[in-house]
Amino acid sequence: MTSALADLRVIDVGHVLAGPFAATLLGDLGADVIKIEPPEGDGLRRLGPRKDGRPIWWSVAARNKRCVTLDLRVPEGQEVLVRLARVADVLIENFRPGTMERWNVGWERLHRENPRLIMLRISGYGQQSAGGGGRPMFGRPSEALSGLLHLTGFGDGPPLHAGFSLGDASTGLMGAFGVLAALHDRERSGEGQVVDLALFETLFRMIEWHIPMYDQLGVVTQRAGNRFPLGLMVGNVYQSADGKWLSTSAAAENVVQRMLRLVGGDALARDPRFATPEARARPEHDRALDDVVREWIAARPAPEVVETFEQAGAVIALAHDAADIVDSLAYKDRDAIVTVDDPYLGPVRMPAAVPRLSQSPGAVRWPGPELGAHNEEVFCGLLAMTRDELEALRRVGAVG
């Protein structure tokens, strides 16, 4: 079957995370992604653990991309990018605002060259920000700016980041969504447009309740550990008798009642302190119920806890580490992990393409390539350069 975006060509001029992740998501669904790197390579090639000197992260981060080297700091490289933009549907960049314009490959020029081009522009504060201007920004500080960091952690301790680049990854996801919306609009208008995304905006949008709470009630929501800050759900992270950590949550009233009966029988379910969401939200009642659930789970090994919750129709999950994930039936049933042959690392297990489309699914077609692996294929094939033209670009340093 043909993947959904197989007729789409994307030029990935991004570096490291947010922009390239958006391109990877589009590539997973079939887009022809041409990854442009400076002659020294993308910084992501130098990040993370290595095996026999080879970067492991690159194998998944640059999968499904054709990698070429092109120095956009020199005029000859800039002209090649313009030629690529003429035959592309989408161009993705995540430099500071003004960088592409200084290189003479900004939106105004690219739009003139290809009026149908969609340009995804990710930056710290957006393209037109009086507050941020051209200042740099990275994923973790953007999480602080979004409001997420303030909400994460325990109230008597420092704010805590997630264990991966959440700000970058979520922005890449929203960027890919914005690209698809712009492509849909192009079907009506015939015109491309800029998708402008600040690095803090996606997480800010996802926490959709904290600004209305402040606006209407004057309430600044505080950190609540592993509890939901608004107190609307029954749940927390608990340790079982065998030392495993499990997370449970119940918002729907019927699921709450199942959990109450499971850990305390009908007496707990009928207890007026826990009978309604409003009663459970009172801090002293919330703490009392939390203690009951904690003691029940602490008295049992994790497999028994999970099985009993499932039998009762309540919801709980073991905090999976990587070893748990690769052995998990849930992942195996979904074929959520695929094995890809990397010419240097050998077989590499990595996440499969998501979401899963029934008629035009995505796939991992190849792992992250070597630096400049597709120079001749793209420049001499797609752009019809002669060998002499390509060699001339190499001599002036435009191509690595």
Side-chain angles (χ1 to χ4, degrees):
M1 291 185 285
T2 302
S3 294
L5 302 181
D7 59 346
L8 193 70
R9 179 169 294 129
V10 177
I11 309 300
D12 175 10
V13 192
H15 60 110
V16 189
L17 285 180
F21 186 62
T24 300
L25 294 174
L26 298 172
D28 281 359
L29 295 181
D32 174 22
V33 179
I34 299 173
K35 168 68 177 173
I36 294 178
E37 302 179 71
E40 65 271 20
D42 191 293
L44 191 59
R45 288 183 181 272
R46 298 182 287 277
L47 295 180
R50 306 173 85 83
K51 178 184 177 184
D52 300 329
R54 312 296 301 189
I56 298 172
W57 193 355
W58 184 257
S59 187
V60 58
R63 70 193 195 183
N64 295 331
K65 297 183 181 183
R66 294 197 281 172
C67 288
V68 303
T69 54
L70 196 60
D71 194 341
L72 300 180
R73 297 163 291 194
V74 300
E76 294 84 354
Q78 296 159 10
E79 292 306 310
V80 175
L81 179 62
V82 171
R83 291 174 66 178
L84 286 169
R86 289 179 187 140
V87 295
D89 298 286
V90 179
L91 186 143
I92 296 173
E93 64 98 357
N94 61 323
F95 296 105
R96 294 192 209 179
T99 299
M100 297 288 283
E101 283 72 18
R102 286 197 303 274
W103 290 341
N104 197 28
V105 287
W107 168 248
E108 296 299 330
R109 182 181 183 190
L110 296 181
H111 185 59
R112 284 197 307 271
E113 298 285 348
N114 180 0
R116 289 177 58 80
L117 183 71
I118 308 298
M119 189 174 187
L120 170 59
R121 313 197 73 175
I122 296 172
S123 58
Y125 299 89
Q127 296 299 308
Q128 306 293 331
S129 171
R135 286 189 291 153
M137 175 58 70
F138 297 106
R140 285 199 161 192
S142 78
E143 295 165 20
L145 190 60
S146 75
L148 174 65
L149 186 60
H150 173 77
L151 295 173
T152 309
F154 290 88
D156 57 355
L160 297 175
H161 285 287
F164 76 110
S165 303
L166 180 59
D168 285 306
S170 61
T171 300
L173 178 62
M174 185 66 84
F177 172 70
V179 163
L180 296 179
L183 287 166
H184 180 71
D185 181 75
R186 191 179 73 175
E187 292 300 307
R188 295 192 298 255
S189 69
E191 285 277 322
Q193 61 181 293
V194 171
V195 179
D196 179 8
L197 192 56
L199 203 51
F200 64 88
E201 288 178 317
T202 299
L203 291 175
F204 169 71
R205 174 62 185 89
M206 289 178 173
I207 314 169
E208 60 184 5
W209 43 263
H210 67 158
I211 295 303
M213 289 277 292
Y214 177 71
D215 177 68
Q216 296 296 305
L217 301 175
V219 173
V220 176
T221 309
Q222 302 299 322
R223 293 187 293 284
N226 288 309
R227 314 299 303 282
F228 189 62
L230 298 186
L232 300 178
M233 300 181 185
V234 176
N236 204 336
V237 173
Y238 305 100
Q239 192 170 29
S240 59
D242 53 354
K244 301 290 187 179
W245 291 98
L246 302 105
S247 177
T248 183
S249 178
E253 191 61 27
N254 59 336
V255 180
V256 172
Q257 292 302 316
R258 293 171 197 159
M259 183 187 297
L260 294 177
R261 290 188 173 87
L262 173 63
V263 301
D266 289 339
L268 189 68
R270 290 194 298 265
D271 191 317
R273 296 176 298 170
F274 314 128
T276 66
E278 293 76 16
R280 293 190 298 269
R282 296 182 60 175
E284 65 274 19
H285 297 172
D286 183 53
R287 289 191 295 269
L289 180 55
D290 189 52
D291 289 341
V292 172
V293 178
R294 178 179 291 104
E295 291 171 6
W296 189 92
I297 291 175
R300 294 161 176 81
E304 179 184 337
V305 172
V306 172
E307 181 180 4
T308 307
F309 263 69
E310 289 177 351
Q311 291 174 348
V315 180
I316 200 166
L318 178 73
H320 281 51
D321 60 23
D324 295 320
I325 287 172
V326 298
D327 289 334
S328 168
L329 287 177
Y331 283 82
K332 292 176 181 178
D333 286 347
R334 293 285 296 172
D335 293 322
I337 299 173
V338 295
T339 300
V340 181
D341 287 328
D342 186 292
Y344 301 98
L345 298 173
V348 179
R349 287 181 288 189
M350 61 180 68
V354 291
R356 183 172 302 196
L357 279 65
S358 62
Q359 298 300 317
S360 51
V364 182
R365 304 184 298 282
W366 61 82
E370 281 290 278
L371 183 64
H374 299 95
N375 279 359
E376 292 193 11
E377 180 180 308
V378 170
F379 296 141
C380 298
L382 178 63
L383 296 186
M385 286 183 187
T386 66
R387 302 278 178 173
D388 288 343
E389 287 178 298
L390 182 56
E391 184 56 34
L393 289 171
R394 287 197 176 104
R395 284 198 299 270
V396 298
V399 174

